[in-house]
Amino acid sequence: MKKHDIILLVVIIIVLLPIAIILLNLGKGGYAIVKINGRVMKTISLNKDGLYAYVTDYGYNKIEVKDGKVRVFEADCPNQDCVNKGYIERNGESIICLPHKFEVTIKSKDDDYDVIVQ
Ligand SMILES: [Zn+2]
């Protein structure tokens, strides 16, 4: 490989890498919408890691935001479906805890406005 071929390759990588990162991020959601009993309780940005707990008459769900993903890591529901679901990260994916009427849905940055207005 000639020297200027290497330079060309480096330039291609420098130009393409940000585009690739942007394309990869497009599929990922920007927010986690937390709903209890069909009502939006909170819109959480997935850009920041954090732990959140929701306690209702039905029971509790603790959720974790990490690396743009979200999961229910602890709950006192009998079936533990929400905990077993693990991390979700793509737009439209959701974790539902039926016994607690608890729901976490991923929404991309583009259409979160509609959700807040609901
Ligand atoms: Zn559950």
Side-chain angles (χ1 to χ4, degrees):
M1 200 182 269
K2 286 182 199 132
K3 196 181 170 188
H4 85 261
D5 285 343
I6 295 170
I7 293 168
L8 188 69
L9 195 69
V10 169
V11 169
I12 289 169
I13 290 168
I14 290 168
V15 172
L16 287 184
L17 200 63
I19 295 169
I21 290 167
I22 290 165
L23 286 176
L24 282 173
N25 282 329
L26 277 179
K28 288 187 176 178
Y31 297 92
I33 315 292
V34 177
K35 280 188 196 175
I36 295 171
N37 213 353
R39 270 186 54 208
V40 176
M41 303 304 288
K42 195 171 170 67
T43 304
I44 301 166
S45 170
L46 296 179
N47 294 328
K48 223 178 99 188
D49 294 355
L51 301 174
Y52 306 85
Y54 292 90
V55 183
T56 66
D57 293 341
Y58 311 111
Y60 72 85
N61 293 76
K62 293 182 184 174
I63 66 174
E64 179 187 25
V65 174
K66 196 166 183 273
D67 303 328
K69 297 179 287 187
V70 62
R71 66 167 176 157
V72 175
F73 71 95
E74 203 185 317
D76 63 347
C77 56
N79 56 13
Q80 296 286 295
D81 280 352
C82 52
V83 178
N84 293 331
K85 173 97 181 180
Y87 283 107
I88 57 169
E89 60 182 319
R90 280 191 295 275
N91 185 29
E93 274 192 300
S94 60
I95 300 170
I96 295 167
C97 181
L98 280 177
H100 293 176
K101 302 182 191 298
F102 181 89
E103 189 184 331
V104 184
T105 307
I106 303 281
K107 284 284 168 191
S108 71
K109 293 173 186 78
D110 303 326
D111 55 16
D112 69 304
Y113 183 73
D114 290 336
V115 173
I116 293 163
V117 165
Q118 253 175 21

